[in-house]
């Protein structure tokens, strides 16, 4: 396949499908490699490389100067020798730091009383020779001697477990393979827990690894048989209980292992039942449990350790439509209850007698939460904080006095003047009359007369709401005259679990309708004119972008779909894919449910591409992505090329060395962002100054 001024065109190989009497033809199913997760088919690789060559020739090379300038600008906002605030654990302070020019962190530890910190782990050395690197599961044993950590060197999210003796530097690599990445030490400091992935990449089994034995000697502690349930591990902040959880998006079951009496084995807190989710922590001699048993927005209950079944649960904080409880974190003398009220973050300190106070912050709209807290017995709580105009901050909150001690504010070396920017939250009316929150940030001199440029971002799935957080990278667009808008559409949890439920399954269309309503509302408020809006979303947010492109292409100047979940129907029909069974509660099961089949068929972006004009698009993929497989964006672009009626730019850029989250190094990831910003800026230029060609496909 050669690349010239014309875009690559994938071969059409029709494959017939029939389900519930409905016939479909998929011309591009051949783009899925039969050997996946390995991608070895030379024709598929040649097509992806041809698309990448086309992107280089038509976008990256013509925009090379702008991309380099943007990349330099983005890097200039990074503190090259940045470091974290030390966190104390067992008489030792731990922190990470970047050295100048380093892509990855170096991790340090320093015993109290010592003047020099020692290197615990250097990610840069571990990443040598790898085009991708991800570190997870970094955990020091309770006695402080051993460091366990997990690594992924291809973006497939299949982690390897390693063990380092911090006393003598000896290391065992690949203690175990094909893991989810999480690690939990047992109290003996001689064994640890990790979660195995099966051949479909599903986290399904917890095993105990003794550090003195080989992987094949690891013993199974828990194994989940239901293919729709994923397994995870953790521990209570008190370190007394290890937690083994199994769940879907709508159901969760927790088992605990009491490390003071491990002979009891795993104890189930509340047996699973469809639709019931709960989380717990331990403090004050009781379990503290967030449960949705009576209301989707959760209530807080407690139970004695010796009698923790549902029959013994005692209500502590009732559930409500406006008060959405999200997390409970227990310390020796108090807990922190995190949640939202009317969509706005609220953190409160509560003692074990029920007395509580709200942690106050100066700004009305902000993102705040529990930070890295490793000491159970403490009077201070480490918090993270930011807003759309306030850089990320690390704050120690002194519980007895209410004092806020700011330990760090993200430094922006190239300079940042907070007073130049304004942020607000407005409401846009959806087609059914519901008001949709929109968070905005722009320069104070941004013109609200319809002549401005707008960048609109959305997600709206899995109950994963978007927080009003700061982004230094975003300044590159704000300084070039853009207003950035975050659409809190239904399907997220910004206004609670009812908000989430109103945008899933049979209500999924509301996510797309809300996003369009937000765009139309911002046009009506004169933040931009029709056709002057750039849009972006990733993963399930990429599905949102695909859907609104098909529904209202006239509204958008351009679109970026990052690793987009766009082949929804075919993926949900394939129960051999690792994520499919766990996804059915979110989208529906089209294998057995005709209503779900017809519903997904009606909005799946790949299935609903039309013979119409589309705006310029940049679509990305990751060759080893286990969440949104590479062939979804590839098929989407292939069908668009032969269906759409315009000559606007359409690009597919596949990262051949990474997965769902793109490039791993901090500078490499900024290079990818610079490319996206360059694409957006190019699309807002007058036609005569744009380097795009009329036959860009």
């Amino acid at each position: 396949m050669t690349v010239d001024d014309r875009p690559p065109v994938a071969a059409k190989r029709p494959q017939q499908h029939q389900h519930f009497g409905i016939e479909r033809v998929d011309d591009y199913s051949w783009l899925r490699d039969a050997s996946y997760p390995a991608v070895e088919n030379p024709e598929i690789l040649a097509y992806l490389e041809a698309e990448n060559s086309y992107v280089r020739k038509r976008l990256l090379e013509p925009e090379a100067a702008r991309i380099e300038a943007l990349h330099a600008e983005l890097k200039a906002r990074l503190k090259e020798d940045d470091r974290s605030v030390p966190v104390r654990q067992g008489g030792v302070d731990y922190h990470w730091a970047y050295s100048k020019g380093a892509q990855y962190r170096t991790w340090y530890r320093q015993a109290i009383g010592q003047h020099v910190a020692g290197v615990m782990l250097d990610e840069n050395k571990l990443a040598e020779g790898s085009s991708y690197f991800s570190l997870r599961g970094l955990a020091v044993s309770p006695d402080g001697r051993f460091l366990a950590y997990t690594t992924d060197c291809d973006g497939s999210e299949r982690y390897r477990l390693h063990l380092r003796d911090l006393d003598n530097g000896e290391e065992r690599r690949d203690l175990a393979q094909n893991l989810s990445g999480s690690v939990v030490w047992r109290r003996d400091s001689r064994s640890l827990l990790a979660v195995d992935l099966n051949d479909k990449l599903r986290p399904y089994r917890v095993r105990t690894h003794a550090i003195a034995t080989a992987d094949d000697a690891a013993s199974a502690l828990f194994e989940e048989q239901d293919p729709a349930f994923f397994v995870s591990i953790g521990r209570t902040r008190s370190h007394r209980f290890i937690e083994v959880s199994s769940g879907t998006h709508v159901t969760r079951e927790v088992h605990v292992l009491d490390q003071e009496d491990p002979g009891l084995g795993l104890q189930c807190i509340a047996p699973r039942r469809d639709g019931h989710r709960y989380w717990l922590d331990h403090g004050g001699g009781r379990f503290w449990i967030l449960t949705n048993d009576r209301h989707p927005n959760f209530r807080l209950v407690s139970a004695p350790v010796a009698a923790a079944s549902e029959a013994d649960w005692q209500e502590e904080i009732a559930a409500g439509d406006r008060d959405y409880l999200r997390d409970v974190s227990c310390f020796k003398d108090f807990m922190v209850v995190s949640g939202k009220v009317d969509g706005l973050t609220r953190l409160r300190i509560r003692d074990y007698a029920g007395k509580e106070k709200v942690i106050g912050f100066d700004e009305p709209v902000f993102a705040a939460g529990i930070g890295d807290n490793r000491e159970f017995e403490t009077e201070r709580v480490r918090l993270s904080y930011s807003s759309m105009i306030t850089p990320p901050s690390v704050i120690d909150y002194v519980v007895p006095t209410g004092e806020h001690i700011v330990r760090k504010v993200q430094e922006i070396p190239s300079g940042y003047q907070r007073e130049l920017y304004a942020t607000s939250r407005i409401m846009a009316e959806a087609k059914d009359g519901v008001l949709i929150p929109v968070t905005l940030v722009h320069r104070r001199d941004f013109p609200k007369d319809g002549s401005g440029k707008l960048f609109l971002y959305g997600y709206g799935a899995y109950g994963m709401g978007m927080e009003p957080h700061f982004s230094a990278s975003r300044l590159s667009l704000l300084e070039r005259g853009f207003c950035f808008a975050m659409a809190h559409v239904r399907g997220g949890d910004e206004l609670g679990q009812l908000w989430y439920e109103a945008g899933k399954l049979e209500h999924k269309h509301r996510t797309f309708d809300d996003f369009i309503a937000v765009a139309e509302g911002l046009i009506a408020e004169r933040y931009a004119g029709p056709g002057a809006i750039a849009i972006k979303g990733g993963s399930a947010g990429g599905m949102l972008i695909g859907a609104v492109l098909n529904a209202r292409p006239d509204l958008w100047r351009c679109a970026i779909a990052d690793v987009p979940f766009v082949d929804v129907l075919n993926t949900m029909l394939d129960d051999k894919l690792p994520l499919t069974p766990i996804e059915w509660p979110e989208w529906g099961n089209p294998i057995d449910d005709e209503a779900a089949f017809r519903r997904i068929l009606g909005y799946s972006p790949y299935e609903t591409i039309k013979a119409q004009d589309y705006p310029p698009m940049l679509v990305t993929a990751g060759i080893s992505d286990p969440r949104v497989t590479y062939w979804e964006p590839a098929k989407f672009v292939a069908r668009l090329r032969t269906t759409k009626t315009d000559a606007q730019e359409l690009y597919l850029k596949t990262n051949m060395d990474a997965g769902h989250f793109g490039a791993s190094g901090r500078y490499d990831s900024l290079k990818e962002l610079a490319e996206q910003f360059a694409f957006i800026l190019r699309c807002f230029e007058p036609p005569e100054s744009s380097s795009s060609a009329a036959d860009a496909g």
Side-chain angles (χ1 to χ4, degrees):
M1 185 176 295
T2 61
V3 175
D4 53 20
D5 285 340
R6 306 292 299 178
V9 177
K12 285 187 176 183
R13 293 176 187 160
Q15 186 175 85
Q16 300 284 337
H17 298 281
Q18 187 178 81
H19 218 75
F20 298 113
I22 300 173
E23 293 187 0
R24 296 182 299 126
V25 177
D26 189 347
D27 291 324
Y28 303 105
S29 59
W30 67 270
L31 285 169
R32 173 180 175 172
D33 196 316
S35 61
Y36 180 82
V39 185
E40 302 168 336
N41 184 304
E43 188 176 11
I44 294 172
L45 290 171
Y47 173 70
L48 297 177
E49 291 288 5
E51 287 283 5
N52 281 348
S53 295
Y54 181 70
V55 174
R56 284 193 295 271
K57 182 170 184 178
R58 300 304 302 274
L59 176 64
L60 304 185
E61 290 175 4
E63 297 293 336
R66 175 150 47 192
I67 291 169
E68 187 55 40
L70 283 164
H71 191 208
E73 183 178 305
L74 294 171
K75 289 194 296 183
R77 296 200 188 98
L78 281 183
K79 183 173 172 57
E80 284 206 86
D81 55 352
D82 197 10
R83 59 186 293 145
S84 66
V85 178
V87 58
R88 186 157 296 179
Q89 178 183 350
V92 178
D93 285 339
Y94 295 90
H95 76 276
W96 55 258
Y98 285 104
S99 58
K100 289 186 176 181
Q103 293 268 27
Y104 303 99
R105 296 176 172 93
T106 301
W107 297 81
Y108 297 87
R109 67 171 185 163
Q110 182 175 352
I112 297 172
Q114 291 185 350
H115 299 293
V116 178
V119 174
M120 188 169 66
L121 192 73
D122 186 346
E123 292 184 45
N124 298 281
K125 290 183 179 179
L126 296 175
E128 288 178 356
S130 299
S131 55
Y132 179 92
F133 178 78
S134 172
L135 175 72
R136 281 195 65 192
L138 192 74
V140 177
S141 61
D143 65 3
R145 178 175 174 180
F146 296 101
L147 173 69
Y149 63 96
T150 57
T151 61
D152 167 23
C153 292
D154 63 7
S156 65
E157 300 182 52
R158 292 174 291 180
Y159 285 84
R160 297 169 178 258
L161 174 63
H162 316 288
L163 188 72
R164 176 171 294 187
D165 188 327
L166 295 175
D167 284 353
N168 58 31
E170 292 181 359
E171 185 157 353
R172 284 189 61 190
R173 309 298 295 272
D174 294 349
L175 184 66
Q177 302 181 18
N178 292 319
L179 305 176
S180 70
S182 299
V183 171
V184 174
W185 281 96
R186 299 186 72 156
R187 274 189 175 178
D188 59 9
S189 294
R190 295 297 177 268
S191 59
L192 52 86
L193 306 182
V195 181
D196 294 329
L197 304 177
N198 67 7
D199 57 358
K200 295 182 180 180
L201 307 183
R202 178 175 69 91
Y204 80 107
R205 181 175 64 189
V206 179
R207 287 195 295 167
T208 300
H209 299 265
I211 63 175
T213 61
D215 176 41
D216 56 11
S219 59
L221 179 66
F222 178 87
E223 185 168 335
E224 175 59 63
Q225 301 297 328
D226 192 324
F229 280 70
F230 280 27
V231 174
S232 61
I233 54 176
R235 65 183 178 187
T236 60
R237 195 175 299 279
S238 66
H239 291 191
R240 176 174 168 180
F241 295 93
I242 290 175
E243 299 177 50
V244 176
S245 303
S246 189
T248 69
H249 293 304
V250 298
T251 302
R252 195 166 190 265
E253 178 182 74
V254 180
H255 294 76
V256 296
L257 179 67
D258 189 344
Q259 299 204 84
E260 291 185 357
D261 193 358
L264 292 173
L266 285 175
Q267 304 292 309
C268 182
I269 298 296
R272 70 186 64 174
R273 64 177 184 273
D274 190 41
H276 184 214
R277 293 193 295 160
Y278 63 97
W279 284 261
L280 63 82
D281 205 350
H282 166 255
R286 299 174 71 84
F287 287 123
W288 299 83
I289 304 165
L290 287 181
T291 171
N292 70 343
D293 60 349
R294 296 184 182 176
H295 193 286
N297 278 349
F298 295 88
R299 63 182 181 127
L300 179 66
V301 301
S302 69
V305 167
S309 65
E310 287 188 77
D312 299 298
W313 289 1
Q314 173 182 312
E315 183 169 280
E316 305 287 348
I317 300 177
D321 289 348
R322 298 176 55 218
D323 194 354
Y324 172 33
L325 303 182
R326 303 179 72 190
D327 181 68
V328 58
S329 296
C330 293
F331 297 84
K332 181 177 181 295
D333 298 317
F334 60 88
M335 69 185 76
V336 181
V337 181
S338 306
K340 288 179 177 289
V341 177
D342 294 335
L344 301 177
T345 298
R346 182 172 71 173
L347 305 180
R348 43 184 159 165
I349 301 291
R350 180 184 175 95
D351 66 24
Y352 292 109
K355 183 179 179 181
E356 63 180 44
K357 60 181 177 180
V358 175
I359 301 176
F361 296 99
D362 293 336
E363 296 176 282
V365 180
F366 57 86
I370 295 288
D372 193 352
N373 293 270
R374 303 187 191 179
E375 296 281 285
F376 184 61
E377 188 171 350
T378 180
E379 290 187 337
R380 296 186 179 189
V381 179
R382 177 71 50 84
L383 303 176
S384 62
Y385 178 90
S386 78
S387 76
M388 299 295 280
I389 59 174
T390 301
S393 306
V394 177
I395 299 171
D396 283 349
Y397 178 79
V398 184
V399 174
T401 65
E403 180 184 6
H404 291 64
I405 302 174
V406 179
R407 300 293 304 277
K408 178 183 178 180
V409 177
Q410 178 183 326
E411 181 181 340
I412 302 176
S414 60
Y416 172 65
Q417 294 177 272
R418 183 177 182 273
E419 63 275 10
L420 296 180
Y421 305 91
T423 182
S424 60
R425 175 164 287 188
I426 66 172
M427 307 300 281
E429 185 174 349
K431 64 190 302 183
D432 60 0
V434 172
L435 297 179
I436 311 301
V438 188
T439 303
L440 303 167
V441 63
H442 50 75
R443 281 186 58 98
R444 290 191 178 276
D445 57 3
F446 177 81
K448 296 181 186 178
D449 58 5
S451 66
K453 296 174 287 189
L454 183 63
F455 184 98
L456 180 60
Y457 188 87
Y459 187 73
Y462 304 116
M464 296 176 61
M466 298 185 298
E467 296 291 339
H469 68 278
F470 183 85
S471 168
S473 300
R474 188 187 297 147
L475 296 173
S476 290
L477 293 179
L478 303 189
E479 286 300 304
R480 288 170 172 81
F482 281 83
C483 170
F484 176 89
M486 189 181 293
H488 303 288
V489 296
R490 283 172 283 186
D493 72 341
E494 287 92 336
L495 295 181
Q497 287 292 303
L498 294 172
W499 195 250
Y500 164 46
E501 293 177 2
K504 64 181 289 192
L505 293 173
E506 68 271 19
H507 306 304
K508 190 61 206 171
H509 63 92
R510 290 174 178 162
T511 301
F512 318 134
D513 293 343
D514 289 355
F515 192 84
I516 292 170
V518 167
E520 292 175 329
L522 292 171
I523 291 171
E525 293 292 327
R526 301 185 58 78
Y527 282 92
I533 304 174
I535 57 174
K536 179 180 175 180
S539 195
M543 178 212 297
L544 165 63
I545 297 305
V548 300
L549 280 167
N550 288 335
R552 288 295 306 276
D554 57 299
L555 282 174
W556 325 118
R557 177 65 61 90
C558 59
I560 296 174
D562 257 336
V563 290
F565 180 33
V566 284
D567 194 12
V568 187
L569 183 59
N570 287 315
T571 295
M572 289 298 98
L573 285 169
D574 187 353
D575 58 5
K576 295 181 175 60
L577 289 171
L579 291 179
T580 293
I582 199 174
E583 297 281 302
W584 286 332
E586 182 75 16
W587 317 106
N589 180 354
I591 297 176
D592 303 319
D593 183 347
E594 182 176 353
F597 180 91
R598 292 181 178 275
R599 182 172 66 245
I600 298 172
L601 177 64
Y603 69 71
S604 176
Y606 178 65
E607 304 286 348
T608 52
I609 292 170
K610 302 173 185 176
Q612 61 183 358
D613 287 357
Y614 284 84
M617 285 179 261
L618 172 61
V619 182
T620 70
I623 192 69
S624 55
D625 189 344
R627 298 172 184 251
V628 177
T629 50
Y630 75 89
W631 62 80
E632 292 207 27
K635 290 172 62 177
F636 182 65
V637 169
R639 178 170 279 183
L640 274 169
R641 286 210 195 281
T642 58
T643 306
K644 69 191 188 81
T645 55
D646 62 88
Q648 298 281 12
E649 297 176 279
L650 172 60
Y651 300 115
L652 171 67
K653 183 174 184 288
T654 303
N655 191 321
M656 305 300 285
D657 298 307
H660 195 65
F661 302 103
S664 55
R666 60 172 176 162
Y667 298 124
D668 291 343
S669 62
L670 288 179
K671 182 65 175 291
E672 291 185 338
L673 187 59
E675 293 170 356
Q676 293 188 4
F677 283 0
F679 170 74
I680 292 169
L681 296 173
R682 166 188 177 117
C683 291
F684 276 85
E685 291 176 348
E688 62 271 12
S689 65
S690 174
S691 57
S692 63
D695 60 355

